[in-house]
Amino acid sequence: MLGKRSDCNVNKVCVLTIKVGDMAKALEFYTKMLDFEVSKHYGENIVSLVYNEIPIVLEKSEEESHSGSQKVLLGILSENIDEDVEVLRGKGVKILFDESRPCPKEGTM
């Protein structure tokens, strides 16, 4: 849970991206061990999964694992995304896109 903050109005996390080194092993883990279902393949390097309406995206990453290297990315839904992005940037959060993008619609991941 993101917790209560008066300076940021994030409503919910709408997608969670997890960078993985071995897509086959990651798919086996998430589908066989955690019962996620494959929702859609986006080529060989990106797969969306869902479990109880919880969407996640697995993205193959060739990067070596460094201490400080981020392996999980959050997509957020906000009432005022531009304002909240500036608040998050001010706190040192790395924002991947210069312009906000819509969250995937439920059921399309």
Side-chain angles (χ1 to χ4, degrees):
M1 188 84 179
L2 292 172
K4 291 186 176 185
R5 294 185 298 188
S6 60
D7 56 353
C8 194
N9 294 309
V10 173
N11 295 81
K12 72 176 187 176
V13 173
C14 57
V15 67
L16 182 70
T17 300
I18 302 169
K19 294 192 174 215
V20 300
D22 186 322
M23 183 63 78
K25 285 183 180 178
L27 279 171
E28 183 176 347
F29 173 77
Y30 283 96
T31 59
K32 303 263 194 264
M33 305 297 270
L34 300 180
D35 293 329
F36 276 82
E37 294 180 7
V38 173
S39 177
K40 187 171 182 179
H41 285 267
Y42 298 90
E44 296 178 13
N45 296 324
I46 300 176
V47 179
S48 64
L49 306 171
V50 67
Y51 176 80
N52 267 355
E53 299 180 22
I54 301 169
I56 64 171
V57 174
L58 301 179
E59 181 177 345
K60 185 165 175 41
S61 175
E62 300 297 330
E63 298 174 13
E64 292 294 320
S65 181
H66 300 292
S67 62
S69 171
Q70 296 297 314
K71 297 296 180 190
V72 178
L73 308 169
L74 297 176
I76 60 172
L77 181 65
S78 169
E79 291 177 10
N80 188 337
I81 192 68
D82 295 324
E83 183 178 302
D84 289 337
V85 163
E86 289 309 311
V87 169
L88 294 170
R89 275 193 178 123
K91 293 182 176 188
V93 174
K94 182 178 177 185
I95 306 295
L96 298 181
F97 303 106
D98 291 330
E99 294 182 16
S100 61
R101 298 181 181 190
C103 280
K105 294 180 181 174
E106 289 185 31
T108 62
M109 288 288 314

